[in-house]
Amino acid sequence: MTPVHPQLQEIVDDFAAVSDKDRLQLLLEYSQDLPALPERYAEHRDLLEPVPECQTPLFLAVETGPDSVVHLFFEAPAEAPTTRGFAAILHAGLDGLSADEVLATPAEFSSQLGLQELVSPLRLRGMAAMLARIKRQVRDQRG
Amino acid sequence: MALPYDSAPKFQEYAHPEMIVSTEWVAEHLDDPGLVVAESDEDVLLYETGHIPGAVKLDWHTELNDPVTRDYVDGEGFARLMSAKGITRDTTLVLYGDKNNWWAAYALWVCSLFGHPDLRLVDGGRAKWIAEGRPVSTETPQRTPTDYPVVERDDKRIRAFQDQVLAHLGQPMIDVRSPGEYTGALLHMPDYPQEGALRGGHIPGARSVPWARAAAEDATFRTRAELEAIYAGEAGLRPEDDVVVYCRIGERSSHTWFVLQHLLGYPHVRNYDGSWTEWGNSVRVPITRGDSP
């Protein structure tokens, strides 16, 4: 299996270390920690990319700086904690990494979180879609 | 022992007022023995963010579906599930959920396949309970397992399969998806994932009545008169009709099934849960595109 970056691996390990019941609780905690949009996006929603593959619409923005450091921004409603949780995992796991490190993240990493049985594969597709869109934007921005 | 019915005047207009309760009724009876309140949502974590105190969670993806075959759990699986939730065959099972009770209606329909005797839906669901500032709890109740009997699922009365729908062509059918899905312009719900239909359009003869038209702004069901104007008036259904309803996987159409069967009292309504993800992928079944049935 392709290794994931240590920053993301730490989250994967946290999920792997707990029981099923606590794993849902952990996802909920992540969802509560998703950072709010900074003003420059909150006031310009048109700059956000929709991710229709998520059950509840999610919006994201990606910034790749001149130093090649990637920053991620997400917006999902409070009534969609699962989607928010997925976004928060990607934020905590990938924000601040280099473009190359983000692009090296294996598409199937979400299967290592142990959420299939708890959340269902269909719902997990949303996370894979977010990652795919993030990578595409990073590739575009790097030019 | 079954709990008393909600005597709210709005409900008395419905054909089966015993199938629906208000948030006030739930608040009043929350501690009554014989009652289990269950939350069923689209989002699998919403329950964990706070639910009606004492309510159990019932998840459509992970609990009501068979994990391998595209089907619902069988009699034994259902008995295990009900037992784990502390539900007996005599329990008054009251369901509520997000999105106008969309998933709660689906759960109610699945429970109806097993003939659970006393099922009710909370008018307005989760949205109304929260909008009214009623208490929520993040505590998962510890339920004592029960001795729920194994009851075989009855797929004849309220469930339709593809071959039955083929034989039903020409008789009343309601497509409850969005207008774009109905005409064939879209292969999936607006803003939702593509769940894999190869062809777009609708089953020939099906009339389009998007499911959410049955709900008011506050997520409660419309009054009987309003519902009759939509389903009898616009869609031309008659109570004696044999009606098939469908959507994409059978969830949104469970909501319409509830409206037709329990609020309007049509006795012959079946939900085709294979719906568009089956029909739109099947070889050589007829499809109509465009706005006309």
Side-chain angles (χ1 to χ4, degrees), chain B residues 20 31 55 57 66 70 73 80 88 103 147 150 156 173 175 181 186 200 205 210 232 265 281 289:
Chain B
I20 188 159
D31 298 323
K57 172 179 171 178
D66 182 279
R70 182 174 172 188
V73 290
R80 266 197 307 277
T88 73
W103 302 98
D147 201 7
V150 174
K156 292 195 184 70
M173 241 184 292
D175 182 319
E181 293 171 275
L186 283 178
N281 285 318
R289 298 194 73 157

Side-chain angles (χ1 to χ4, degrees), chain A residues 109-120:
Chain A
F109 98 91
S110 62
S111 66
Q112 299 174 43
L113 294 166
L115 290 169
Q116 290 93 322
E117 309 268 303
L118 297 173
V119 166
S120 91

Side-chain angles (χ1 to χ4, degrees), chain A residues 21 24-25 27-28 31-32 51-57 78-83 116-120 122-123 125, chain B residues 41-49 57 59-62 98-99 103 140 142 188 191-196 248-249:
Chain A
K21 196 168 151 276
L24 267 194
Q25 200 56 41
L27 185 60
L28 180 63
S31 79
Q32 290 159 346
V51 184
E53 293 89 350
C54 290
Q55 282 205 338
T56 302
E79 313 85 70
T82 303
T83 301
Q116 290 93 322
E117 309 268 303
L118 297 173
V119 166
S120 91
L122 184 66
R123 285 168 171 146
R125 261 195 234 165
Chain B
D41 296 318
E42 177 182 88
D43 191 298
V44 70
L45 270 180
L46 202 49
Y47 170 88
E48 278 77 6
T49 66
K57 172 179 171 178
D59 187 58
W60 60 288
H61 261 308
T62 59
D98 63 350
K99 312 233 159 160
W103 302 98
T140 306
Q142 298 302 314
H188 54 91
D191 299 328
Y192 271 68
Q194 156 66 288
E195 280 178 336
R248 173 187 56 132
I249 57 169

